[in-house]
Amino acid sequence: MELCTNGSYKLLRIIGILMLLLSSAPFVLAYIECSTVSQLFSACSIFISYGTPDPIPGSPCCDAMLGLSIIANSGDNKQSVCRCIMGLLQNYSTNATAIGTLPGLCGISLGFTIIPNPQCIL
């Protein structure tokens, strides 16, 4: 007997992301830590490192980008998320293009374009 089908596994991942977001809701709405943003991007480490395979909606990488989108579009977090991503771009400059394409590949919007922009003008 199969305990977890692909559909139920995906549902469990989404529930887990939402539980994480809801359990820290007071902090999410007030300020987002860059370590949280980095952790979400780490789900896409293979794509960021090698540029392949493209993540697809429903993959762990895209689920993480969906979680990032929820955080970025909650309260006043967009500016903080943008600054954290700009830090990632500086640290992983050779992989900046891959980082910048992730939201689009996953079919989500962070409310800003990921390009080197130290002021994070939104």
Side-chain angles (χ1 to χ4, degrees):
M1 181 175 160
E2 191 172 335
L3 295 176
C4 191
T5 63
N6 284 341
S8 63
Y9 180 71
K10 180 180 175 185
L11 179 62
L12 288 174
R13 284 195 328 241
I14 292 171
I15 289 171
I17 290 170
L18 291 175
M19 287 176 61
L20 174 68
L21 294 173
L22 293 175
S23 68
S24 61
F27 302 106
V28 170
L29 294 175
Y31 177 75
I32 183 72
E33 294 285 335
C34 287
S35 60
T36 301
V37 173
S38 294
Q39 184 176 9
L40 289 166
F41 272 97
S42 72
C44 306
S45 62
I46 292 173
F47 177 75
I48 291 170
S49 296
Y50 302 107
T52 188
D54 287 357
I56 58 171
S59 68
C61 174
C62 286
D63 287 347
M65 291 299 101
L66 177 61
L68 185 62
S69 173
I70 291 168
I71 292 170
N73 291 301
S74 299
D76 296 327
N77 286 328
K78 196 172 295 188
Q79 191 80 18
S80 295
V81 169
C82 181
R83 286 192 178 126
C84 292
I85 293 172
M86 292 310 115
L88 284 174
L89 290 178
Q90 289 175 349
N91 290 336
Y92 302 100
S93 60
T94 58
N95 307 83
T97 301
I99 292 170
T101 60
L102 280 169
L105 289 170
C106 292
I108 59 110
S109 172
L110 298 175
F112 56 89
T113 303
I114 300 176
I115 56 170
N117 176 2
Q119 288 84 31
C120 281
I121 300 169
L122 308 175

